[in-house]
């Protein structure tokens, strides 16, 4: 499996810390050239490598960590998303009217046709997401939701590898509603920093 994070701001860097902590290779990219991101990538760890957006999108699994409105620009950068897994770590808040009642991830998924699409890593503030998820006796929880059940398992495996405890919430408009915003209200699980005890 190869991984890329698109967007190297607060959430992109928080996730890069998680990959670096476990020595897992990850490519990071934004609209800026890789040379502009390289010092910060290097500072996070040797497994974090800045590349151009085009090169980053060669990864099998791509985490979206850009402002919500930018997802279409990222989607346009590949002619086809078939065979890719896309993890949506974005939040739409307040919810734009164009969503017309759809969960934001279901709306985003329509731009990434053919991809296996999973919402995850979106419910914590960046500083918390960046911190070690392994605490005495437990692992920080991340919630995963998807309309494609098969898509969730490899993302859950990645979350575990990164030291998190993945909790599957089911479909985007079912359990996933708990990690989406509605209008000006956050879903009930957003900002809930939970830990799962070792079994
Ligand atoms: N901050 C939080 O605590 C938090 C928590 C949970 C979820 N989120 C969600 O995570 C996402 C990112 O938030 P953030 O706080 O990390 O934002 P941020 O600090 O502003 O970072 C956004 C990143 O996206 C890049 N970017 C913007 N447009 C792009 C494009 N078209 N293609 C490639 N890269 C692009 C920017 O870099 P360039 O300008 O170089 O392109 C920047 O690196 C948002 O959807 C937000 O709702 C944030």
């Amino acid at each position: 499996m190869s991984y890329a994070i698109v967007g190297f701001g607060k959430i992109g860097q928080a996730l890069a810390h998680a990959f670096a902590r476990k020595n897992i290779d990850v490519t990071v990219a934004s609209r800026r050239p890789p040379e502009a991101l390289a010092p910060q990538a290097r500072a996070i760890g040797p497994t974090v490598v800045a590349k151009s957006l085009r090169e980053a999108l060669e990864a099998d699994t791509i985490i979206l960590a850009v402002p919500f409105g930018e997802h279409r620009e990222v989607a346009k950068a590949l002619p086809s998303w078939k065979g890719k897994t896309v993890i949506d770590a974005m939040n739409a808040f307040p919810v734009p009217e164009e969503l017309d009642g759809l969960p934001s991830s279901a709306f985003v998924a329509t731009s990434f046709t053919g991809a296996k699409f999973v919402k995850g890593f979106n419910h914590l503030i960046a500083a918390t997401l960046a911190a070690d998820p392994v605490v005495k006796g437990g692992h920080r929880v991340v919630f995963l939701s998807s309309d494609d059940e098969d898509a969730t398992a490899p993302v859950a495996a990645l979350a575990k590898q990164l030291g998190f405890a993945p909790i599957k919430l089911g479909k985007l408009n079912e359990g996933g509603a708990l990690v989406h915003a509605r209008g000006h209200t956050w879903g009930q699980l957003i900002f809930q920093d939970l830990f799962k005890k070792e079994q």
Side-chain angles (χ1 to χ4, degrees):
M1 279 295 222
S2 52
Y3 301 102
I5 302 167
V6 176
F8 196 48
K10 291 184 277 298
I11 284 294
Q13 291 182 33
L15 287 164
H17 276 284
F19 279 84
R21 192 177 290 116
K22 298 291 183 181
N23 285 315
I24 302 172
D25 289 327
V26 68
T27 300
V28 295
S30 80
R31 291 170 299 192
R32 280 171 291 159
E35 307 80 68
L37 309 184
Q40 184 57 23
R42 267 197 298 271
I44 293 174
T47 63
V48 182
V49 177
K51 292 194 179 164
S52 68
L53 181 61
R54 196 164 289 272
E55 287 175 298
L57 295 183
E58 287 171 13
D60 310 316
T61 299
I62 291 142
I63 308 180
L64 298 176
V66 297
F68 178 77
E70 291 294 326
H71 70 268
R72 289 186 196 87
E73 290 305 311
V74 179
K76 274 194 241 162
L78 270 191
S80 166
W81 286 87
K82 209 159 184 279
K84 302 284 187 189
T85 294
V86 173
I87 305 173
D88 180 7
M90 300 182 297
N91 285 315
F93 191 86
V95 175
E97 276 186 16
E98 61 173 339
L99 267 59
D100 202 22
L102 270 187
S104 65
S105 288
F107 183 84
V108 173
T110 61
S111 294
F112 292 84
T113 320
K116 290 183 173 294
F117 198 91
V118 179
K119 186 174 191 74
F121 300 98
N122 68 299
H123 85 286
L124 295 168
I125 61 160
T128 307
L129 189 64
D132 192 344
V134 180
V135 292
K136 209 167 167 241
H139 296 259
R140 175 168 283 120
V141 164
V142 290
F143 297 109
L144 304 178
S145 47
S146 178
D147 289 343
D148 175 354
E149 214 173 290
D150 295 343
T152 316
V155 179
L158 168 66
K160 265 193 177 165
Q161 251 188 301
L162 295 175
F164 293 91
I167 305 276
K168 296 177 194 166
L169 297 177
K171 294 193 173 179
L172 296 172
N173 66 356
E174 294 175 357
L178 298 169
V179 287
H180 278 87
R182 292 250 158 208
H184 286 76
T185 310
W186 289 106
Q188 294 90 325
L189 290 178
I190 299 225
F191 308 128
Q192 298 288 339
D193 184 13
L194 306 179
F195 292 83
K196 190 169 177 192
K197 277 184 80 174
E198 302 265 14
Q199 299 296 332

